[in-house]
Amino acid sequence: MTSKHSVRERIEKLVKDLNYHNYRYYILDNPEISDAEYDKMLRELQKLEGENPEFQLPDSPSQRVGAKPLDKFKKHKHKTLMLSLNNAMDDEELLAFDERVKKFLETSKEVGYTAELKFDGLAIELVYENRILTVGSTRGDGETGEDVTPNIKTVKNIPLHLSDKPPAYLEVRGEVVLTKRAFAKLNEEREKGEEPLFANPRNAAAGSVRQLDSKITAKRPLHFFAYGIGETKGELFDSQYELLKKLSRFGIPVNEHCALCKNIDEVQRFFKKIGEKREKLDYEIDGIVVKVNDFRLQDKLGTISRSPRWAIARKFAAQEASTVIEDIIVQVGRTGALTPVAKLKPVHVGGVTVKSATLHNQDEIDRKDIRIGDTVFIRRAGDVIPEVIKIVESKRHKNSRPYKMPKQCPECGAEALKDEEEVVSRCIGLSCPAKLKEGIRHFVSKGGMDIEGIGHKLVEQFVDEGLVKKFSDFYTLTEKDILKLERQGEKSAKNHIEAIEKSKHVSLDRFIYALGIRHVGEHLSKVLAQEFGDIKKLEHVKEDILIKIHEIGPEVAFAVSHFFNEPRNLQEIHNLLHAGVKSIGQKKKTGGRFEGKTFVLTGTLPRLQRGEAKRMIEAEGGHVAGSVSGNTDFVVAGSEPGSKFDKAKELKVPIIDEEDLLRLLKGS
Ligand code: IVH
């Protein structure tokens, strides 16, 4: 039996090692062990602590998962006030701050600053005594906050134990933030659970930290960034920049975006640079914080009514504004998706004029009850298309009506369909100009009509030059047409026309696939081909017929029947057939032409791919074998046939070519 003493030693070792690995993972971003190894050690620790609760250490990482819920938070009085910041809303106010600092210090020389991000989260203070995290508290009113220690211990990048040589007593101040992604996910979950939504990541971070049940906090991906200190005993620091570097050495997370600036001009450059990076950051910031770097100068400057004279927040311009929706238009994307867009009375937001905002889809419009004529709040997030946040109900016109998306595609007039599962509606028109390029790329692709040599670039040229407005236009192209395009010579024009000609012979499944019907990929194209055997049989097909087919679900039946009932599509299929496209059916039938017959394929066939020929034979009830034997009825030989050809000759098996095969298939 293990002695109490050795259990205690093992616990101490595990705590020490786990804290070290935590530091490698969260601070250095350079782990030495795998997650699985970490978990194994953590589980061992949890087990030992469970059996010997008296040995649990205050910096034990087992507390990362949360502790028992509290009834209420204890108060925590900060030893020194947690200050707030004055704001500079524009360049002028920032320059005025620099002037004030110089005036107060009675100097005309440049003052050096540290520029940091202004995190939009929740301010907290961490107390480390003899390296160990003992208290985590909120800012509260600056004098007294709430003791949220168990919650703080669940924030994974906050060290429970400091490294290097930290002061014996150290109060670290900083901000807890929630990632934008985690915020979005959290709100999604709350929406499902019909709980009230958090307005922004800051509120969500605050709500997560001020949780009586720390197990809930533990589930939220919170991050901490240190930006300062409160009281310390032991080591002294000379400047803000040096302080940040040292905190980082103690294992305390400090954000990577911070700069030591020689003067206020450099600060302005940093501000601009951060403004450009802002959207890419995974957490919200609302500006930068500018601090006189030298601590002696900070002391001289002092504070005035709870804000330091030595620091200022340079805030970003507001990203929200109110305006009026003058109209709602519908745009059709490359995939045929219809997107409603609000046309706005032009408004300045964050330095640019905004004239439109996306409304996403009908569900979103319904949820926010957005109508033409409404006064709305919009938000602009960097390069992203502005969004309507909410409407101002008090300003709504009496006679306004709910907005409904059109049932027809505004580009081509074909039906716009919405699946039950989906939120967006899509145009199902084959020749819709909005979808053309994407649709044509699919049409000519390998799995479709397989028109060799016609790549993305060429499709672009065909469409832009107006040579191809619908699929069937390919089959009326001439060499002369192609020669009109840039970088096309006589040889390539000839090759393209030949490739187009060759594509006219196509198996039915590839023809169906080429049409680009929603939800109908290569496999379902085969299913449909085998079931119907002829494109004509699909025209006007009803959903209730389709749904009976094995492998076809309601969604597919819905899409397929609508597709083959749209007059514009039927016209285009007709155009293709008229232009000479021959889709060869593979209807599965008993008593087919090749019932009981065995074929062997060898060499390269001029038009059909091997898989295709096989499917055609099988569709007529025939069997395709891999080798020639006495039982073989036909060997189909293409160019450069292999040993099977010789074997066939030897066994006197009839040898036919592709032409013969196609003739046999047609029964002529
Ligand atoms: S220094 C010395 N630095 O902004 C003044 N504060 O109104 C004390 N904040 O609640 C703060 N990022 O939590 C400082 N890099 C940063 C900051 C920052 C965000 C918050 C802070 C405080 C508020 C100030």
Side-chain angles (χ1 to χ4, degrees):
M1 212 174 97
T2 25
S3 74
K4 278 275 172 195
H5 178 72
S6 64
V7 166
R8 189 190 177 133
E9 273 186 350
R10 179 71 190 145
I11 286 179
E12 279 169 4
K13 169 102 172 69
L14 283 167
V15 167
K16 188 159 166 265
D17 290 353
L18 284 163
N19 278 329
Y20 169 75
H21 291 304
N22 223 59
Y23 169 71
R24 302 276 328 181
Y25 189 92
Y26 285 103
I27 308 298
L28 302 184
D29 209 5
N30 185 12
E32 283 174 353
I33 59 171
S34 68
D35 290 358
E37 285 169 288
Y38 184 94
D39 286 344
K40 191 165 167 247
M41 283 162 70
L42 183 62
R43 273 197 304 275
E44 183 187 348
L45 175 65
Q46 282 168 324
K47 183 168 173 278
L48 293 178
E49 282 179 351
E51 290 158 5
N52 308 276
E54 71 277 21
F55 293 154
Q56 185 176 41
L57 295 168
D59 58 344
S60 166
S62 61
Q63 296 162 86
R64 294 272 190 220
V65 294
K68 277 205 195 94
L70 303 172
D71 291 333
K72 67 187 203 20
F73 296 116
K74 278 191 295 186
K75 294 264 175 279
H76 175 83
K77 196 159 177 351
H78 304 295
K79 284 197 176 25
T80 56
L81 217 56
M82 282 184 82
L83 301 171
S84 50
L85 291 164
N86 285 323
N87 293 329
M89 300 309 294
D90 54 29
D91 289 347
E92 213 178 304
E93 289 182 8
L94 182 66
L95 295 174
F97 160 75
D98 182 51
E99 288 305 320
R100 275 200 307 278
V101 167
K102 286 178 185 160
K103 198 165 166 214
F104 198 92
L105 295 173
E106 295 176 329
T107 177
S108 55
K109 282 203 221 121
E110 287 185 336
V111 177
Y113 297 102
T114 300
E116 303 164 12
L117 302 186
K118 186 169 191 306
F119 309 104
D120 206 3
L122 180 76
I124 60 156
E125 182 183 77
L126 309 171
V127 180
Y128 287 92
E129 291 172 86
N130 298 320
R131 292 173 182 275
I132 290 167
L133 175 67
T134 51
V135 184
S137 62
T138 61
R139 174 175 180 270
D141 62 3
E143 257 174 70
T144 313
E146 284 162 327
D147 182 332
V148 287
T149 312
N151 298 356
I152 289 303
K153 285 185 173 173
T154 71
V155 178
K156 307 286 184 296
N157 78 335
I158 292 182
L160 303 176
H161 192 117
L162 296 183
S163 321
D164 207 49
K165 294 193 191 78
Y169 181 88
L170 176 66
E171 290 177 2
V172 179
R173 290 173 181 180
E175 201 94 349
V176 168
V177 299
L178 188 73
T179 60
K180 290 178 190 166
R181 222 172 323 135
F183 165 70
K185 204 169 143 226
L186 185 58
N187 260 356
E188 257 169 48
E189 281 163 15
R190 288 174 80 89
E191 193 162 14
K192 272 191 216 137
E194 294 186 4
E195 289 170 86
L197 303 189
F198 288 119
N200 49 47
R202 181 187 53 236
N203 289 1
S208 305
V209 172
R210 298 184 62 259
Q211 264 289 339
L212 289 166
D213 183 353
S214 52
K215 291 214 162 56
I216 295 180
T217 315
K219 290 199 185 108
R220 310 259 166 101
L222 297 164
H223 274 262
F224 175 74
F225 293 118
Y227 53 65
I229 46 172
E231 201 152 283
T232 59
K233 278 181 210 127
E235 168 156 1
L236 291 176
F237 307 91
D238 295 331
S239 73
Q240 174 68 11
Y241 199 72
E242 182 206 312
L243 168 75
L244 295 179
K245 291 268 163 298
K246 284 213 170 141
L247 290 181
S248 176
R249 234 182 286 145
F250 302 152
I252 295 164
V254 171
N255 191 273
E256 58 181 320
H257 302 289
C258 80
L260 181 58
C261 305
K262 274 206 286 303
N263 52 37
I264 205 75
D265 291 347
E266 286 193 15
V267 170
Q268 278 178 309
R269 277 201 286 280
F270 178 81
F271 178 69
K272 192 158 173 284
K273 194 179 93 191
I274 294 301
E276 286 157 11
K277 282 212 180 109
R278 180 180 185 186
E279 291 314 318
K280 296 206 182 71
L281 298 176
D282 197 25
Y283 40 86
E284 296 280 353
I285 58 172
D286 56 352
I288 63 164
V289 181
V290 185
K291 299 171 185 173
V292 170
N293 187 44
D294 189 326
F295 279 166
R296 276 171 315 179
L297 298 184
Q298 283 193 5
D299 285 344
K300 265 196 206 164
L301 286 153
T303 58
I304 174 165
S305 66
R306 295 189 167 218
S307 306
R309 274 200 201 85
W310 45 265
I312 198 154
R314 169 71 170 99
K315 303 266 283 240
F316 292 129
Q319 299 277 99
E320 291 179 11
S322 78
T323 185
V324 174
I325 296 185
E326 293 181 329
D327 196 8
I328 296 177
I329 60 149
V330 175
Q331 287 178 349
V332 188
R334 279 191 310 159
T335 59
L338 269 54
T339 309
V341 175
K343 288 287 156 197
L344 307 169
K345 189 161 168 251
V347 60
H348 281 280
V349 196
V352 302
T353 307
V354 171
K355 295 188 196 125
S356 49
T358 176
L359 300 175
H360 299 289
N361 51 57
Q362 183 74 58
D363 283 8
E364 187 80 356
I365 292 175
D366 294 346
R367 201 164 62 78
K368 293 177 178 162
D369 189 18
I370 295 167
R371 306 178 183 189
I372 296 172
D374 276 351
T375 297
V376 293
F377 275 97
I378 61 149
R379 178 189 297 141
R380 192 182 77 90
D383 306 335
V384 189
I385 310 163
E387 278 187 302
V388 170
I389 314 168
K390 60 171 187 171
I391 63 145
V392 182
E393 249 164 273
S394 59
K395 293 206 178 156
R396 169 164 284 169
H397 296 290
K398 266 199 262 64
N399 49 6
S400 84
R401 289 219 207 117
Y403 177 81
K404 289 281 165 246
M405 297 265 292
K407 298 251 180 300
Q408 261 82 36
C409 168
E411 292 278 345
C412 76
E415 194 184 358
L417 258 198
K418 188 165 100 84
D419 284 4
E420 258 181 45
E421 307 281 304
E422 270 213 319
V423 284
V424 292
S425 47
R426 285 172 205 275
C427 165
I428 59 163
L430 250 189
S431 311
C432 177
K435 303 195 307 182
L436 199 58
K437 283 184 191 168
E438 198 63 15
I440 287 180
R441 282 188 192 125
H442 181 83
F443 182 74
V444 303
S445 71
K446 249 197 149 36
M449 302 303 282
D450 191 16
I451 308 185
E452 226 172 281
I454 301 203
H456 276 217
K457 261 247 137 56
L458 209 52
V459 168
E460 194 115 318
Q461 282 176 297
F462 279 136
V463 176
D464 291 347
E465 292 300 318
L467 289 175
V468 176
K469 297 197 182 78
K470 50 189 187 313
F471 297 162
S472 55
D473 288 345
F474 270 109
Y475 297 100
T476 52
L477 281 177
T478 61
E479 281 179 33
K480 230 163 115 197
D481 289 330
I482 298 179
L483 278 169
K484 280 189 226 149
L485 301 176
E486 243 178 72
R487 281 195 299 276
Q488 292 296 327
E490 280 183 15
K491 178 131 201 297
S492 59
K494 190 165 168 275
N495 286 345
H496 291 319
I497 293 295
E498 271 175 14
I500 291 169
E501 204 41 47
K502 198 172 153 197
S503 77
K504 284 183 180 171
H505 285 268
V506 63
S507 59
L508 179 59
D509 63 323
R510 283 198 10 233
F511 186 47
I512 294 172
Y513 176 77
L515 297 173
I517 306 162
R518 197 158 161 70
H519 302 308
V520 181
E522 290 186 84
H523 178 68
L524 285 181
S525 297
K526 275 180 208 146
V527 172
L528 287 170
Q530 293 210 331
E531 205 58 46
F532 289 88
D534 186 344
I535 194 79
K536 290 256 170 239
K537 300 241 164 69
L538 273 156
E539 290 182 4
H540 302 292
V541 66
K542 294 276 168 294
E543 249 177 283
D544 54 351
I545 303 280
L546 289 159
I547 197 88
K548 287 193 193 120
I549 301 170
H550 180 60
E551 288 195 272
I552 291 192
E555 224 183 344
V556 177
F558 181 77
V560 172
S561 92
H562 277 268
F563 184 93
F564 285 105
N565 279 278
E566 166 64 48
R568 286 168 186 77
N569 295 352
L570 299 181
Q571 177 61 51
E572 178 58 0
I573 290 169
H574 179 83
N575 294 343
L576 285 163
L577 300 180
H578 190 72
V581 171
K582 283 200 176 35
S583 65
I584 297 145
Q586 311 112 293
K587 195 169 164 61
K588 227 196 252 162
K589 40 182 173 180
T590 46
R593 270 188 194 98
F594 297 159
E595 190 83 348
K597 298 269 185 278
T598 299
F599 288 72
V600 172
L601 304 170
T602 178
T604 312
L605 301 178
R607 276 174 294 197
L608 296 176
Q609 290 186 352
R610 193 172 281 217
E612 236 169 294
K614 181 170 188 272
R615 279 197 296 279
M616 288 176 178
I617 293 166
E618 283 169 355
E620 283 296 331
H623 170 68
V624 176
S627 59
V628 181
S629 72
N631 293 330
T632 311
D633 294 291
F634 295 101
V635 168
V636 186
S639 58
E640 292 170 41
S643 60
K644 292 176 203 164
F645 185 82
D646 303 329
K647 186 84 190 269
K649 267 192 182 163
E650 193 190 311
L651 296 176
K652 300 206 168 55
V653 175
I655 299 172
I656 61 171
D657 63 9
E658 187 191 71
E659 285 272 304
D660 300 326
L661 175 69
L662 291 172
R663 219 173 301 126
L664 286 174
L665 277 164
K666 274 195 250 149
S668 58

